């Protein structure tokens, strides 16, 4: 049986930068290895106006779908406007950030091509007071 996850009911973890308080978002793992998936992971997340994810790299390829709100995908080689319906794929280990540049909550889904992975942020993230975040099934 394939479970259908009502993502709006998932408790979001609130994450922010230790120094830069504009690094401010909420997210939840809808799936990852051993939790409704075998070979992939999915995060649902929100960024309030003026906030951003924080510069980071992911250890696996990531595809994002913007559900609502407007923002700016920041890459080392430039920026790209995003809004409802935008889809983009980010190769593994490519530094990026996503900022909410609009007046409403930016809501998105991120799909990762691995059942377990890490994200390494430039900024120390609170919680858990580290540069490295990732799937709940990883160690360290």
């Amino acid at each position: 049986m394939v479970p259908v996850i009502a993502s709006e009911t998932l408790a979001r973890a609130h994450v922010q930068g230790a120094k830069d308080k504009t690094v401010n978002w909420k997210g939840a793992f809808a799936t990852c290895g051993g939790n409704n998936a075998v070979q992939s992971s999915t995060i649902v997340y929100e960024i309030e106006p003026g906030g951003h994810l924080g510069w980071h790299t992911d250890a696996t390829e990531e595809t994002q779908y913007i559900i609502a709100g407007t923002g700016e995908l920041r890459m080392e080689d430039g920026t790209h406007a995003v809004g409802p319906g935008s889809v983009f794929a980010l190769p593994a280990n490519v530094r990026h950030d996503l900022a909410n540049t609009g007046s409403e909550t930016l809501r998105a889904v991120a799909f990762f091509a691995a059942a377990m992975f890490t994200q390494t942020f430039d900024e120390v993230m609170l919680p858990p007071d580290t540069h490295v975040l990732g799937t709940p099934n990883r160690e360290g």
Side-chain angles (χ1 to χ4, degrees), residues 45 47 53 56 58 60-75 79-91 94-99 106-112:
Y45 70 93
I47 307 170
L53 293 176
H56 67 284
D58 301 303
T60 189
E61 183 177 84
E62 170 187 13
T63 299
Q64 290 200 25
Y65 176 71
I66 306 300
I67 298 168
T70 55
E72 182 176 82
L73 172 62
R74 299 172 178 169
M75 307 287 292
T79 61
H80 309 275
V82 297
S86 294
V87 176
F88 50 92
L90 300 162
V94 170
R95 191 168 171 264
H96 62 281
D97 189 5
L98 183 66
L106 188 149
R107 299 181 192 286
V109 182
F111 305 94
F112 295 86

Side-chain angles (χ1 to χ4, degrees), residues 10-97:
L10 295 173
R12 304 309 198 246
H14 181 207
V15 181
Q16 65 183 48
K19 294 180 181 175
D20 180 357
K21 296 307 178 193
T22 64
V23 174
N24 189 3
W25 50 278
K26 294 177 183 174
F29 276 92
T31 67
C32 66
N35 179 25
N36 301 315
V38 176
Q39 297 181 357
S40 64
S41 301
T42 308
I43 298 174
V44 292
Y45 70 93
E46 294 92 29
I47 307 170
E48 295 302 324
H52 64 110
L53 293 176
W55 284 95
H56 67 284
T57 59
D58 301 303
T60 189
E61 183 177 84
E62 170 187 13
T63 299
Q64 290 200 25
Y65 176 71
I66 306 300
I67 298 168
T70 55
E72 182 176 82
L73 172 62
R74 299 172 178 169
M75 307 287 292
E76 290 188 335
D77 62 352
T79 61
H80 309 275
V82 297
S86 294
V87 176
F88 50 92
L90 300 162
N93 300 311
V94 170
R95 191 168 171 264
H96 62 281
D97 189 5

